[in-house]
Amino acid sequence: MSEILAFRDARDWKQFHTPKNLAAALSIEVGELQETLLWKTDEQITESLRQTEKFNRIRDEVADVLIYALLFAEATGVDPVTAIRSKLQGNAEKYPVETSKGSALKYSELPSTPKS
Amino acid sequence: MSEILAFRDARDWKQFHTPKNLAAALSIEVGELQETLLWKTDEQITESLRQTEKFNRIRDEVADVLIYALLFAEATGVDPVTAIRSKLQGNAEKYPVETSKGSALKYSELPSTPKS
Amino acid sequence: MSEILAFRDARDWKQFHTPKNLAAALSIEVGELQETLLWKTDEQITESLRQTEKFNRIRDEVADVLIYALLFAEATGVDPVTAIRSKLQGNAEKYPVETSKGSALKYSELPSTPKS
Amino acid sequence: MSEILAFRDARDWKQFHTPKNLAAALSIEVGELQETLLWKTDEQITESLRQTEKFNRIRDEVADVLIYALLFAEATGVDPVTAIRSKLQGNAEKYPVETSKGSALKYSELPSTPKS
């Protein structure tokens, strides 16, 4: 994280990094990540990941997504580790292992678990 | 990271976590993050961040973005830290401090730096 | 619409046009549209729209978004005009003129209107 | 189109409809559209489209995407029909039928066609 901020600050870019701009940047990068997979089957993607050039492109897009997500977190005062822990805890309640195991249903569609 | 994977594996969800599905999930979460800011001015966003309920919603969306970005990285064999370091290095070449300081131009629009 | 389909069919591309792929393509194009505006202030965007080259780039991205949205509609059997009419009607109920005029609040946050 | 603008103007919402806000709204709606398909196989999506409730949800999301794309076009002075025609023409040059038929390759990866 400190390296990302050092990069930003050396270029005096914090002035452009409003939450809205960073969220838009994040959205753009996710688009670019999706583009590396577009029109491909799952098998073709597995194959792409074995080719250095294509793998590196995907790796770079993942990096861009993470960089902007972390810059957004910094700009809004969110601590990434605390945020993830707190979200996983919330998800654990919404998706109990008993009812959600092996199921792709959204929590609102899951069978309710009896509370005894 | 290990907590995210433990959560996934306890629910046997790896079967749904193809790169394409995870990229789509990531895109959806970034949309939800953007929604927390929609129609608001920068000042209104700053104000929102001071209200616990609104801050927590933003924090949760940041967490979702990071969780899916990390799950995508895991599914494609990308090491997040190496990816970020390598990208920052590449960006440092594309955006030299001398020409990009205080500028929001894309690297392809930056004035070229003389190589001596 | 018929020109879009003729373009697709001349290239035998319907085989790639699953709803998921088209939704991903749409997401990518919206990312590219957002990129034309990134880091710019509203004033700078207004200025960009006056420059032919920049205007044309934005126009092209709008076209890409519309093309993929219409291809998605076609692939899922949605009639675009009926869909828009039906949605506007639904929105008219969620956003009555009396309570939503000049307000950017989401319908769930609007003051309720007395039914007499 | 005129119905969309009438809806907007009755609520005095043009003031919020800057290009950046509309592009963000569009991105959010595409996320919601992607969510209707998430974790589903192509077969499950085909099945969903046969169920009225699920079909209507997809139809509504398509409508939202089209509405915001058209509002964005209006806000930036882009004529949707001209934009689509001009883009299809450009694509026809980038993707000649001879080389791109049945291929999902990007134009930059297509075999070049001999110019005689």
Side-chain angles (χ1 to χ4, degrees):
Chain A
M1 189 69 201
S2 63
E3 293 167 62
I4 299 174
L5 299 183
F7 185 90
R8 177 194 71 185
D9 293 335
R11 282 154 193 81
D12 200 13
W13 280 354
K14 197 175 160 62
Q15 58 182 313
F16 305 115
H17 286 186
T18 60
K20 271 179 130 165
N21 280 349
L22 289 169
L26 183 54
S27 175
I28 294 163
E29 296 302 340
V30 171
E32 294 184 4
L33 183 62
Q34 288 195 289
E35 205 194 347
T36 63
L37 315 173
L38 189 63
W39 310 130
K40 292 194 172 75
T41 62
D42 290 339
E43 291 70 34
Q44 289 168 327
I45 291 168
T46 305
E47 178 52 33
S48 287
L49 290 169
R50 287 205 201 93
Q51 300 172 40
T52 310
E53 200 189 337
K54 292 188 179 169
F55 174 80
N56 287 351
R57 193 171 154 221
I58 292 173
R59 190 198 56 193
D60 279 358
E61 298 302 347
V62 171
D64 279 334
V65 169
L66 287 170
I67 288 169
Y68 280 117
L70 292 171
L71 284 169
F72 182 94
E74 202 269 345
T76 52
V78 167
D79 177 67
V81 174
T82 313
I84 291 176
R85 288 235 167 93
S86 149
K87 195 65 193 357
L88 285 179
Q89 217 156 28
N91 283 352
E93 285 165 33
K94 290 202 289 191
Y95 295 97
V97 170
E98 311 90 78
T99 53
S100 62
K101 190 164 186 176
S103 158
L105 288 177
K106 206 175 168 168
Y107 67 92
S108 48
E109 296 167 338
L110 285 177
S112 63
T113 41
K115 317 249 175 187
S116 58
Chain B
M1 188 69 200
S2 63
E3 292 167 62
I4 299 173
L5 299 184
F7 185 89
R8 177 194 71 186
D9 293 335
R11 281 153 193 81
D12 200 10
W13 281 353
K14 197 176 159 61
Q15 58 181 313
F16 305 116
H17 286 188
T18 60
K20 271 178 130 165
N21 280 349
L22 290 170
L26 183 54
S27 176
I28 293 162
E29 297 302 341
V30 171
E32 295 184 3
L33 183 63
Q34 288 195 289
E35 206 194 346
T36 62
L37 315 173
L38 189 63
W39 312 129
K40 293 193 172 74
T41 63
D42 291 339
E43 291 69 35
Q44 289 169 327
I45 291 168
T46 304
E47 178 52 34
S48 287
L49 292 167
R50 287 205 200 92
Q51 300 172 40
T52 310
E53 200 189 337
K54 291 188 179 169
F55 174 80
N56 287 350
R57 192 170 156 224
I58 292 173
R59 190 197 57 192
D60 279 358
E61 298 301 347
V62 171
D64 279 333
V65 169
L66 286 170
I67 289 169
Y68 280 118
L70 292 171
L71 284 169
F72 182 93
E74 204 269 345
T76 52
V78 167
D79 178 67
V81 174
T82 313
I84 291 176
R85 288 234 168 95
S86 149
K87 195 63 195 354
L88 285 179
Q89 218 157 27
N91 283 352
E93 285 165 34
K94 290 201 291 189
Y95 295 96
V97 170
E98 310 91 77
T99 53
S100 62
K101 190 161 184 176
S103 158
L105 289 176
K106 206 175 169 169
Y107 68 92
S108 48
E109 296 167 338
L110 284 177
S112 63
T113 40
K115 317 248 175 189
S116 57
Chain C
M1 187 68 199
S2 63
E3 293 167 62
I4 298 174
L5 299 183
F7 185 90
R8 177 194 70 185
D9 293 335
R11 281 153 192 82
D12 201 12
W13 281 353
K14 197 175 160 60
Q15 58 182 314
F16 306 116
H17 286 186
T18 59
K20 272 179 129 165
N21 280 349
L22 289 169
L26 183 52
S27 175
I28 293 163
E29 296 302 340
V30 172
E32 294 184 3
L33 184 62
Q34 289 195 291
E35 205 193 347
T36 63
L37 316 173
L38 188 63
W39 311 129
K40 292 193 172 74
T41 62
D42 290 340
E43 291 70 34
Q44 289 169 328
I45 291 168
T46 304
E47 178 52 33
S48 287
L49 291 168
R50 288 205 202 93
Q51 300 172 40
T52 311
E53 200 190 335
K54 292 189 179 168
F55 174 79
N56 287 351
R57 192 170 156 222
I58 292 173
R59 190 197 59 194
D60 279 358
E61 298 301 347
V62 171
D64 278 334
V65 168
L66 287 169
I67 289 169
Y68 280 117
L70 292 170
L71 284 169
F72 183 93
E74 203 269 346
T76 52
V78 167
D79 178 66
V81 174
T82 314
I84 291 176
R85 288 237 167 91
S86 150
K87 195 63 195 351
L88 285 179
Q89 219 156 26
N91 283 350
E93 285 166 33
K94 289 201 291 191
Y95 296 95
V97 170
E98 312 91 76
T99 52
S100 61
K101 191 163 185 175
S103 157
L105 289 176
K106 205 173 170 170
Y107 68 92
S108 48
E109 296 167 339
L110 285 176
S112 63
T113 40
K115 319 248 173 188
S116 57
Chain D
M1 188 70 198
S2 63
E3 293 167 63
I4 298 174
L5 299 184
F7 185 89
R8 177 195 70 184
D9 293 335
R11 282 155 192 82
D12 200 12
W13 282 353
K14 197 176 160 59
Q15 57 181 315
F16 306 116
H17 286 187
T18 59
K20 271 179 130 166
N21 280 349
L22 290 169
L26 183 53
S27 176
I28 294 163
E29 296 302 341
V30 171
E32 294 184 3
L33 183 63
Q34 288 196 290
E35 205 194 347
T36 63
L37 315 172
L38 189 62
W39 312 129
K40 292 192 172 73
T41 63
D42 291 339
E43 291 68 36
Q44 289 169 327
I45 292 167
T46 304
E47 178 54 33
S48 287
L49 291 167
R50 287 206 202 91
Q51 300 172 39
T52 311
E53 200 190 335
K54 291 188 179 169
F55 174 80
N56 287 351
R57 189 165 159 226
I58 291 173
R59 191 197 58 194
D60 279 358
E61 298 301 348
V62 171
D64 278 333
V65 169
L66 286 169
I67 289 169
Y68 280 117
L70 292 170
L71 284 169
F72 182 93
E74 204 269 343
T76 52
V78 167
D79 178 67
V81 174
T82 313
I84 291 175
R85 287 234 169 94
S86 150
K87 195 62 194 353
L88 285 178
Q89 220 156 26
N91 283 351
E93 284 165 34
K94 289 202 290 191
Y95 296 95
V97 170
E98 312 92 75
T99 52
S100 61
K101 191 163 184 174
S103 158
L105 289 177
K106 203 171 173 173
Y107 67 92
S108 47
E109 297 168 338
L110 284 177
S112 63
T113 41
K115 318 246 173 188
S116 57

